[in-house]
Amino acid sequence: MKRTVIVGGGLVMTAVFVWLSMQWFHGRQIDAAFKRLLHSPGWIAAMTIGYGCSFWLKAVAWRLYVARENEDRLRTYMYPLLVSLLVNHILPVKLGDLARTGMLARQSKMRFDDALHSVAMMRLLDMVSLLFIGSIGAITLGLAVSPRFLLVMIVLGVVMLALAAWLSRKWKPFQRHFERLWTTIRSRRGAAVALLTLVSWVLEGAVVYGVVHVLNLQVGLLQAVWANSMTIVGQLFHVTPGGIGTYETTLTASLGLLGIAGSDGYTAALLSHGYKFGFAYIAGAAALVLGAVSWRDLKEWFGLKDRGRQKKS
């Protein structure tokens, strides 16, 4: 059911993207915008620093969550993040987290279930951070936000925590992971992990801010951070490599709420997404090489290796 909803939502977003392209894809305008960005090396550098630092902070937060800052080097967490980013920008489904989990387990010699637990918790914290930025940003920017929506999000969080506590009592393998999560949440370490993750998503807004500034669009830094966060939340409906279509549709709509014309918002979405694709391919390929990741490793992490053996037998 969940998969059907995600795929269905992704197909709808892709269809909307096709419609937007038919309305606002103007080759000359996009070409001029692309050249303007290329002739702004200072802004490209700022975007790269901001985007790169966002992953650095995510790696710091991840290592802090697993409490191995004294045992593991930061690259043990940085490389899996970048490889995951690359995989998600190549494949039409989000298998990056599987590569991220397998790579961490191999490099840190950690149990696979512990690595999977940490990836799942960091993903959950990512979503919480994005929704927090979205809610606070919408209120600050004067956008209509229903108090009921905020209440529903709080209640949903409490229900999920209660469900996890119930599972920890009923399912022994889950108990150890829940106890670790609960201990971390109540500690200073947990607060630090949450803060670092939140700041990392604020920094990622540098890409959208850089693009809209180069295009002379009237979008402030806070607005760019908010628009980027709403766009990443929309990536839940990911059925194309890198969320092509979903990203452009969501960002165009978010910028539209900020008063940006549809054609300008669409152009900004194409440029910012194109930049992120380039970053994913370059940084991800470097992480593959530096992390000594082979195609055999990826097949194993994706579960394809065992299937291949079963077919042969």
Side-chain angles (χ1 to χ4, degrees), residues 126-206:
D126 284 339
M127 189 57 63
V128 171
S129 298
L130 290 167
L131 290 175
F132 177 79
I133 293 173
S135 300
I136 298 300
I139 294 173
T140 304
L141 297 171
L143 300 176
V145 180
S146 171
R148 292 182 180 178
F149 172 77
L150 298 179
L151 180 61
V152 167
M153 295 306 300
I154 294 173
V155 171
L156 183 60
V158 173
V159 170
M160 290 179 63
L161 192 60
L163 179 60
W166 180 80
L167 283 174
S168 70
R169 292 196 300 270
K170 295 294 183 179
W171 188 32
K172 287 186 177 180
F174 188 79
Q175 184 175 2
R176 181 170 62 89
H177 295 297
F178 176 75
E179 289 177 350
R180 182 174 184 177
L181 170 63
W182 185 241
T183 300
T184 303
I185 288 177
R186 295 181 297 168
S187 66
R188 292 182 179 179
R189 178 183 295 273
V193 171
L195 179 60
L196 288 170
T197 304
L198 180 65
V199 175
S200 74
W201 285 109
V202 171
L203 285 174
E204 185 165 328

Side-chain angles (χ1 to χ4, degrees), residues 52-69:
C53 285
S54 73
F55 284 98
W56 179 77
L57 285 182
K58 286 181 177 66
V60 173
W62 189 12
R63 185 176 65 172
L64 191 61
Y65 179 81
V66 300
R68 292 176 61 121
E69 58 268 24

